[in-house]
Amino acid sequence: MPGPVKLDDNTLHALHHFIDASKVHHFQYMKPHRSVSWLELFYDLVFVVFIARMVHSLTHLDDEGHFHFDTLVDFFLTFLPLWWTWMCSTFYLN
């Protein structure tokens, strides 16, 4: 088994500069700090409730205690558009 990799000072300096968290604020896509409105929080809460109800539907078993594959397919066919809607709207609104 090979030993640990030794890095020279130039490589370490370049890695430190690349990973340096203090440089994050220089990205031009970063926006100034803003607070979240109550409407945005309510909007997110509505999606949380929808997803929670959908996940709850996964817990229903038939009379013999078996889980059906159709239930999982139905879950993903409804979850994916809901998730995609939330992701796109959040990206657009921010």
Side-chain angles (χ1 to χ4, degrees):
M1 178 174 248
V5 176
K6 302 278 185 180
L7 299 175
D8 62 353
D9 290 337
N10 289 337
T11 306
L12 287 174
H13 184 269
L15 283 174
H16 177 69
H17 182 71
F18 181 72
I19 300 174
D20 191 7
S22 66
K23 306 269 189 267
V24 170
H25 68 276
H26 293 296
F27 291 144
Q28 55 182 305
Y29 65 84
M30 298 291 288
K31 294 182 181 178
H33 176 72
R34 72 174 188 88
S35 60
V36 179
S37 71
W38 286 105
L39 184 62
E40 289 174 297
L41 291 174
F42 180 73
Y43 182 74
D44 290 341
L45 183 63
V46 168
F47 277 97
V48 168
V49 169
F50 282 148
I51 292 171
R53 292 193 57 144
M54 289 170 45
V55 169
H56 179 71
S57 71
L58 288 176
T59 62
H60 293 285
L61 305 175
D62 64 2
D63 294 334
E64 297 174 3
H66 296 120
F67 182 77
H68 291 283
F69 182 72
D70 295 342
T71 306
L72 191 61
V73 171
D74 290 342
F75 170 77
F76 279 112
L77 289 177
T78 52
F79 174 75
L80 291 176
L82 182 68
W83 183 262
W84 188 255
T85 302
W86 180 78
M87 288 293 292
C88 288
S89 62
T90 301
F91 180 74
Y92 178 74
L93 294 174
N94 287 332

